[in-house]
Amino acid sequence: MPAQRTSVPEARRRVSALLSEWGADQQVRDDVELVVSELFTNALRHTDSEKVGCELALFGGHIRIEITDQGGPENSAPHVQPGSVDKECGRGLFLVGALSDSWGSRPADGGPGRVVWADLPYTGTATATH
């Protein structure tokens, strides 16, 4: 998707539609939408990306979210800022950590950029890998 603020609600809409298709419980949909919003927004704010990718995969009892950017001047790994929970800005990764069983990042395949991923618990009707 284009690296624009208007892409954040569009990513949420697409994620919501897919999770509804999979039969995900409402709490799962809410949590995944929030994590996608936070990670997508971070990619917009902290990289020089023209495009940001968003993928979901269902495996076992988890949903894997992957947000891929095209990198930036520092291309450093995202991390929770000390004291960020008390600040108006900077709580995103704290929320990601609170909602996820695990999260992290790795270099993007085949070029500059980074993939930030999060695994969230899944409950719903779909059980196959997607």
Side-chain angles (χ1 to χ4, degrees), residues 6-48:
T6 56
S7 294
V8 176
E10 177 62 18
R12 260 194 327 264
R13 186 192 66 71
R14 290 181 186 187
V15 163
S16 179
L18 180 60
L19 292 173
S20 291
E21 210 176 283
W22 288 354
D25 293 343
Q26 184 64 50
Q27 186 63 52
V28 171
R29 292 195 310 258
D30 292 345
D31 291 351
V32 170
E33 287 179 38
L34 178 58
V35 170
V36 165
S37 293
E38 294 298 338
L39 295 180
F40 201 108
T41 299
N42 277 356
L44 295 177
R45 284 187 178 162
H46 302 292
T47 72
D48 294 332

Short mmCIF file of all heavy atoms in Angstrom, two decimals, residues 6-48:
data_model
loop_
_atom_site.label_atom_id
_atom_site.label_comp_id
_atom_site.label_asym_id
_atom_site.label_seq_id
_atom_site.Cartn_x
_atom_site.Cartn_y
_atom_site.Cartn_z
N THR A 6 -3.51 7.88 4.91
CA THR A 6 -4.81 7.33 4.50
C THR A 6 -4.76 5.82 4.32
O THR A 6 -5.81 5.17 4.27
CB THR A 6 -5.30 8.00 3.20
OG1 THR A 6 -4.30 7.83 2.19
CG2 THR A 6 -5.58 9.48 3.41
N SER A 7 -3.57 5.25 4.22
CA SER A 7 -3.45 3.80 4.07
C SER A 7 -3.67 3.06 5.38
O SER A 7 -4.01 1.87 5.37
CB SER A 7 -2.08 3.44 3.50
OG SER A 7 -1.95 3.91 2.18
N VAL A 8 -3.50 3.73 6.51
CA VAL A 8 -3.69 3.06 7.81
C VAL A 8 -5.14 2.58 7.97
O VAL A 8 -5.35 1.40 8.24
CB VAL A 8 -3.24 3.95 8.98
CG1 VAL A 8 -3.53 3.28 10.32
CG2 VAL A 8 -1.76 4.29 8.87
N PRO A 9 -6.15 3.43 7.79
CA PRO A 9 -7.52 2.92 7.91
C PRO A 9 -7.86 1.90 6.82
O PRO A 9 -8.65 0.98 7.05
CB PRO A 9 -8.41 4.16 7.82
CG PRO A 9 -7.56 5.27 7.35
CD PRO A 9 -6.14 4.89 7.63
N GLU A 10 -7.26 2.04 5.64
CA GLU A 10 -7.50 1.05 4.58
C GLU A 10 -6.90 -0.30 4.97
O GLU A 10 -7.53 -1.34 4.75
CB GLU A 10 -6.90 1.54 3.26
CG GLU A 10 -7.04 0.56 2.12
CD GLU A 10 -8.48 0.23 1.73
OE1 GLU A 10 -9.42 0.98 2.10
OE2 GLU A 10 -8.68 -0.79 1.05
N ALA A 11 -5.73 -0.31 5.56
CA ALA A 11 -5.13 -1.57 6.04
C ALA A 11 -6.02 -2.19 7.11
O ALA A 11 -6.27 -3.40 7.09
CB ALA A 11 -3.72 -1.31 6.57
N ARG A 12 -6.51 -1.38 8.04
CA ARG A 12 -7.42 -1.88 9.07
C ARG A 12 -8.67 -2.48 8.46
O ARG A 12 -9.14 -3.55 8.88
CB ARG A 12 -7.82 -0.74 10.02
CG ARG A 12 -7.07 -0.71 11.29
CD ARG A 12 -7.70 0.20 12.34
NE ARG A 12 -8.38 1.36 11.84
CZ ARG A 12 -7.86 2.57 11.75
NH1 ARG A 12 -6.61 2.78 12.10
NH2 ARG A 12 -8.56 3.57 11.29
N ARG A 13 -9.23 -1.81 7.45
CA ARG A 13 -10.45 -2.31 6.80
C ARG A 13 -10.20 -3.66 6.15
O ARG A 13 -10.99 -4.60 6.29
CB ARG A 13 -10.95 -1.30 5.77
CG ARG A 13 -12.29 -1.67 5.16
CD ARG A 13 -12.62 -0.83 3.95
NE ARG A 13 -11.72 -1.05 2.83
CZ ARG A 13 -11.69 -2.15 2.06
NH1 ARG A 13 -12.51 -3.15 2.32
NH2 ARG A 13 -10.85 -2.26 1.05
N ARG A 14 -9.09 -3.78 5.44
CA ARG A 14 -8.76 -5.04 4.77
C ARG A 14 -8.52 -6.17 5.77
O ARG A 14 -8.95 -7.30 5.57
CB ARG A 14 -7.54 -4.86 3.88
CG ARG A 14 -7.79 -4.00 2.67
CD ARG A 14 -6.55 -3.88 1.83
NE ARG A 14 -6.71 -2.94 0.74
CZ ARG A 14 -5.82 -2.75 -0.22
NH1 ARG A 14 -4.68 -3.45 -0.21
NH2 ARG A 14 -6.04 -1.89 -1.18
N VAL A 15 -7.82 -5.84 6.85
CA VAL A 15 -7.55 -6.83 7.89
C VAL A 15 -8.86 -7.28 8.53
O VAL A 15 -9.09 -8.46 8.74
CB VAL A 15 -6.57 -6.24 8.94
CG1 VAL A 15 -6.59 -7.03 10.23
CG2 VAL A 15 -5.17 -6.17 8.36
N SER A 16 -9.74 -6.33 8.82
CA SER A 16 -11.03 -6.66 9.42
C SER A 16 -11.84 -7.58 8.51
O SER A 16 -12.45 -8.55 8.98
CB SER A 16 -11.80 -5.38 9.71
OG SER A 16 -13.05 -5.68 10.27
N ALA A 17 -11.84 -7.28 7.22
CA ALA A 17 -12.59 -8.12 6.27
C ALA A 17 -12.03 -9.54 6.23
O ALA A 17 -12.78 -10.52 6.24
CB ALA A 17 -12.56 -7.49 4.88
N LEU A 18 -10.71 -9.66 6.21
CA LEU A 18 -10.09 -10.98 6.17
C LEU A 18 -10.37 -11.76 7.46
O LEU A 18 -10.72 -12.94 7.42
CB LEU A 18 -8.58 -10.86 5.95
CG LEU A 18 -7.80 -12.17 5.89
CD1 LEU A 18 -8.29 -13.04 4.73
CD2 LEU A 18 -6.31 -11.88 5.75
N LEU A 19 -10.25 -11.10 8.59
CA LEU A 19 -10.51 -11.77 9.87
C LEU A 19 -11.97 -12.19 9.98
O LEU A 19 -12.27 -13.26 10.53
CB LEU A 19 -10.11 -10.86 11.03
CG LEU A 19 -8.62 -10.61 11.16
CD1 LEU A 19 -8.36 -9.56 12.23
CD2 LEU A 19 -7.86 -11.88 11.45
N SER A 20 -12.88 -11.40 9.47
CA SER A 20 -14.30 -11.78 9.45
C SER A 20 -14.50 -13.02 8.58
O SER A 20 -15.25 -13.93 8.95
CB SER A 20 -15.16 -10.64 8.94
OG SER A 20 -15.18 -9.58 9.87
N GLU A 21 -13.82 -13.03 7.44
CA GLU A 21 -13.87 -14.18 6.54
C GLU A 21 -13.37 -15.44 7.25
O GLU A 21 -13.92 -16.53 7.05
CB GLU A 21 -12.97 -13.88 5.34
CG GLU A 21 -13.37 -14.52 4.04
CD GLU A 21 -12.44 -14.03 2.94
OE1 GLU A 21 -12.62 -12.90 2.47
OE2 GLU A 21 -11.54 -14.81 2.57
N TRP A 22 -12.33 -15.30 8.04
CA TRP A 22 -11.77 -16.43 8.78
C TRP A 22 -12.62 -16.83 9.97
O TRP A 22 -12.38 -17.86 10.59
CB TRP A 22 -10.37 -16.10 9.28
CG TRP A 22 -9.32 -16.05 8.22
CD1 TRP A 22 -9.44 -16.38 6.90
CD2 TRP A 22 -7.96 -15.64 8.39
NE1 TRP A 22 -8.25 -16.20 6.25
CE2 TRP A 22 -7.32 -15.75 7.14
CE3 TRP A 22 -7.23 -15.19 9.48
CZ2 TRP A 22 -5.99 -15.42 6.95
CZ3 TRP A 22 -5.90 -14.86 9.29
CH2 TRP A 22 -5.28 -14.98 8.03
N GLY A 23 -13.57 -15.99 10.36
CA GLY A 23 -14.41 -16.29 11.52
C GLY A 23 -13.74 -15.96 12.84
O GLY A 23 -14.07 -16.57 13.87
N ALA A 24 -12.83 -15.01 12.84
CA ALA A 24 -12.13 -14.63 14.08
C ALA A 24 -13.10 -14.00 15.07
O ALA A 24 -14.01 -13.26 14.69
CB ALA A 24 -11.00 -13.64 13.75
N ASP A 25 -12.88 -14.28 16.33
CA ASP A 25 -13.68 -13.68 17.39
C ASP A 25 -13.48 -12.16 17.40
O ASP A 25 -12.44 -11.66 16.97
CB ASP A 25 -13.29 -14.26 18.74
CG ASP A 25 -13.65 -15.73 18.88
OD1 ASP A 25 -14.48 -16.24 18.08
OD2 ASP A 25 -13.10 -16.39 19.78
N GLN A 26 -14.46 -11.43 17.94
CA GLN A 26 -14.41 -9.97 17.95
C GLN A 26 -13.17 -9.45 18.67
O GLN A 26 -12.53 -8.50 18.21
CB GLN A 26 -15.67 -9.39 18.59
CG GLN A 26 -15.72 -7.87 18.54
CD GLN A 26 -15.77 -7.33 17.12
OE1 GLN A 26 -16.59 -7.77 16.33
NE2 GLN A 26 -14.89 -6.39 16.79
N GLN A 27 -12.80 -10.03 19.80
CA GLN A 27 -11.63 -9.56 20.54
C GLN A 27 -10.35 -9.73 19.70
O GLN A 27 -9.49 -8.86 19.70
CB GLN A 27 -11.48 -10.31 21.88
CG GLN A 27 -10.36 -9.75 22.74
CD GLN A 27 -10.62 -8.30 23.16
OE1 GLN A 27 -11.68 -8.00 23.69
NE2 GLN A 27 -9.66 -7.43 22.92
N VAL A 28 -10.25 -10.82 18.97
CA VAL A 28 -9.11 -11.05 18.09
C VAL A 28 -9.08 -9.97 17.01
O VAL A 28 -8.02 -9.37 16.75
CB VAL A 28 -9.17 -12.46 17.45
CG1 VAL A 28 -8.11 -12.61 16.37
CG2 VAL A 28 -9.02 -13.54 18.51
N ARG A 29 -10.22 -9.70 16.39
CA ARG A 29 -10.28 -8.67 15.35
C ARG A 29 -9.85 -7.32 15.90
O ARG A 29 -9.06 -6.61 15.27
CB ARG A 29 -11.68 -8.60 14.74
CG ARG A 29 -12.03 -9.85 13.95
CD ARG A 29 -13.24 -9.67 13.05
NE ARG A 29 -14.41 -9.12 13.67
CZ ARG A 29 -15.47 -9.81 14.06
NH1 ARG A 29 -15.50 -11.12 13.91
NH2 ARG A 29 -16.51 -9.21 14.58
N ASP A 30 -10.35 -6.96 17.07
CA ASP A 30 -9.99 -5.67 17.68
C ASP A 30 -8.49 -5.58 17.94
O ASP A 30 -7.85 -4.57 17.63
CB ASP A 30 -10.76 -5.46 18.99
CG ASP A 30 -12.26 -5.26 18.78
OD1 ASP A 30 -12.69 -5.01 17.63
OD2 ASP A 30 -13.00 -5.38 19.79
N ASP A 31 -7.93 -6.64 18.53
CA ASP A 31 -6.50 -6.64 18.87
C ASP A 31 -5.63 -6.59 17.62
O ASP A 31 -4.66 -5.83 17.57
CB ASP A 31 -6.14 -7.86 19.71
CG ASP A 31 -6.74 -7.82 21.11
OD1 ASP A 31 -7.29 -6.77 21.51
OD2 ASP A 31 -6.66 -8.87 21.80
N VAL A 32 -5.96 -7.39 16.62
CA VAL A 32 -5.17 -7.41 15.39
C VAL A 32 -5.25 -6.06 14.68
O VAL A 32 -4.24 -5.54 14.21
CB VAL A 32 -5.60 -8.57 14.46
CG1 VAL A 32 -4.94 -8.46 13.10
CG2 VAL A 32 -5.25 -9.91 15.10
N GLU A 33 -6.43 -5.48 14.61
CA GLU A 33 -6.58 -4.17 13.97
C GLU A 33 -5.73 -3.12 14.68
O GLU A 33 -5.09 -2.29 14.03
CB GLU A 33 -8.04 -3.73 13.96
CG GLU A 33 -8.88 -4.49 12.96
CD GLU A 33 -10.33 -4.06 12.99
OE1 GLU A 33 -10.60 -2.85 13.16
OE2 GLU A 33 -11.20 -4.93 12.86
N LEU A 34 -5.69 -3.14 16.00
CA LEU A 34 -4.89 -2.17 16.75
C LEU A 34 -3.40 -2.38 16.48
O LEU A 34 -2.67 -1.41 16.22
CB LEU A 34 -5.17 -2.28 18.25
CG LEU A 34 -4.36 -1.36 19.15
CD1 LEU A 34 -4.57 0.11 18.78
CD2 LEU A 34 -4.71 -1.59 20.61
N VAL A 35 -2.94 -3.62 16.50
CA VAL A 35 -1.52 -3.89 16.25
C VAL A 35 -1.14 -3.49 14.83
O VAL A 35 -0.10 -2.87 14.61
CB VAL A 35 -1.18 -5.37 16.55
CG1 VAL A 35 0.22 -5.73 16.06
CG2 VAL A 35 -1.30 -5.64 18.05
N VAL A 36 -1.98 -3.82 13.86
CA VAL A 36 -1.71 -3.41 12.47
C VAL A 36 -1.62 -1.89 12.39
O VAL A 36 -0.70 -1.35 11.76
CB VAL A 36 -2.78 -3.96 11.50
CG1 VAL A 36 -2.73 -3.27 10.15
CG2 VAL A 36 -2.61 -5.47 11.33
N SER A 37 -2.54 -1.18 13.02
CA SER A 37 -2.52 0.29 13.00
C SER A 37 -1.22 0.83 13.57
O SER A 37 -0.61 1.73 13.00
CB SER A 37 -3.69 0.86 13.80
OG SER A 37 -4.91 0.56 13.18
N GLU A 38 -0.80 0.29 14.70
CA GLU A 38 0.42 0.78 15.36
C GLU A 38 1.66 0.49 14.52
O GLU A 38 2.51 1.37 14.34
CB GLU A 38 0.56 0.16 16.76
CG GLU A 38 -0.51 0.59 17.73
CD GLU A 38 -0.53 2.08 18.02
OE1 GLU A 38 0.49 2.77 17.82
OE2 GLU A 38 -1.58 2.57 18.46
N LEU A 39 1.79 -0.73 14.02
CA LEU A 39 2.98 -1.08 13.25
C LEU A 39 3.02 -0.36 11.91
O LEU A 39 4.08 0.07 11.46
CB LEU A 39 3.06 -2.60 13.06
CG LEU A 39 3.25 -3.42 14.33
CD1 LEU A 39 3.32 -4.91 13.99
CD2 LEU A 39 4.46 -2.98 15.13
N PHE A 40 1.87 -0.22 11.26
CA PHE A 40 1.81 0.48 9.98
C PHE A 40 2.17 1.95 10.18
O PHE A 40 2.95 2.53 9.42
CB PHE A 40 0.41 0.34 9.38
CG PHE A 40 0.33 0.56 7.90
CD1 PHE A 40 0.12 -0.50 7.05
CD2 PHE A 40 0.47 1.82 7.35
CE1 PHE A 40 0.05 -0.31 5.68
CE2 PHE A 40 0.39 2.03 5.98
CZ PHE A 40 0.18 0.96 5.14
N THR A 41 1.62 2.56 11.24
CA THR A 41 1.93 3.96 11.53
C THR A 41 3.41 4.14 11.81
O THR A 41 4.03 5.11 11.35
CB THR A 41 1.07 4.45 12.71
OG1 THR A 41 -0.31 4.36 12.34
CG2 THR A 41 1.39 5.90 13.07
N ASN A 42 4.02 3.23 12.56
CA ASN A 42 5.46 3.31 12.82
C ASN A 42 6.26 3.25 11.52
O ASN A 42 7.25 3.97 11.36
CB ASN A 42 5.92 2.19 13.75
CG ASN A 42 5.68 2.51 15.19
OD1 ASN A 42 5.24 3.60 15.54
ND2 ASN A 42 5.95 1.55 16.05
N ALA A 43 5.85 2.40 10.59
CA ALA A 43 6.54 2.31 9.30
C ALA A 43 6.46 3.65 8.55
O ALA A 43 7.43 4.07 7.91
CB ALA A 43 5.96 1.18 8.45
N LEU A 44 5.32 4.32 8.65
CA LEU A 44 5.16 5.62 8.00
C LEU A 44 6.04 6.68 8.66
O LEU A 44 6.67 7.48 7.97
CB LEU A 44 3.70 6.08 8.07
CG LEU A 44 2.67 5.27 7.31
CD1 LEU A 44 1.28 5.84 7.54
CD2 LEU A 44 2.99 5.20 5.84
N ARG A 45 6.07 6.69 9.98
CA ARG A 45 6.77 7.73 10.73
C ARG A 45 8.29 7.58 10.73
O ARG A 45 9.01 8.56 10.79
CB ARG A 45 6.30 7.74 12.17
CG ARG A 45 4.96 8.35 12.36
CD ARG A 45 4.66 8.47 13.83
NE ARG A 45 3.36 9.11 14.01
CZ ARG A 45 2.67 9.05 15.12
NH1 ARG A 45 3.14 8.39 16.15
NH2 ARG A 45 1.50 9.65 15.19
N HIS A 46 8.75 6.35 10.73
CA HIS A 46 10.17 6.12 11.01
C HIS A 46 10.97 5.57 9.83
O HIS A 46 12.11 5.15 10.02
CB HIS A 46 10.31 5.18 12.21
CG HIS A 46 9.66 5.72 13.44
ND1 HIS A 46 10.12 6.83 14.11
CD2 HIS A 46 8.55 5.31 14.11
CE1 HIS A 46 9.34 7.07 15.14
NE2 HIS A 46 8.37 6.18 15.16
N THR A 47 10.38 5.57 8.64
CA THR A 47 11.11 5.11 7.46
C THR A 47 10.87 6.08 6.31
O THR A 47 10.03 6.97 6.39
CB THR A 47 10.67 3.69 7.01
OG1 THR A 47 9.37 3.75 6.43
CG2 THR A 47 10.68 2.71 8.18
N ASP A 48 11.62 5.85 5.24
CA ASP A 48 11.45 6.65 4.02
C ASP A 48 10.68 5.86 2.96
O ASP A 48 10.86 6.07 1.76
CB ASP A 48 12.83 7.03 3.45
CG ASP A 48 13.59 7.96 4.37
OD1 ASP A 48 12.94 8.72 5.13
OD2 ASP A 48 14.83 7.94 4.34
#
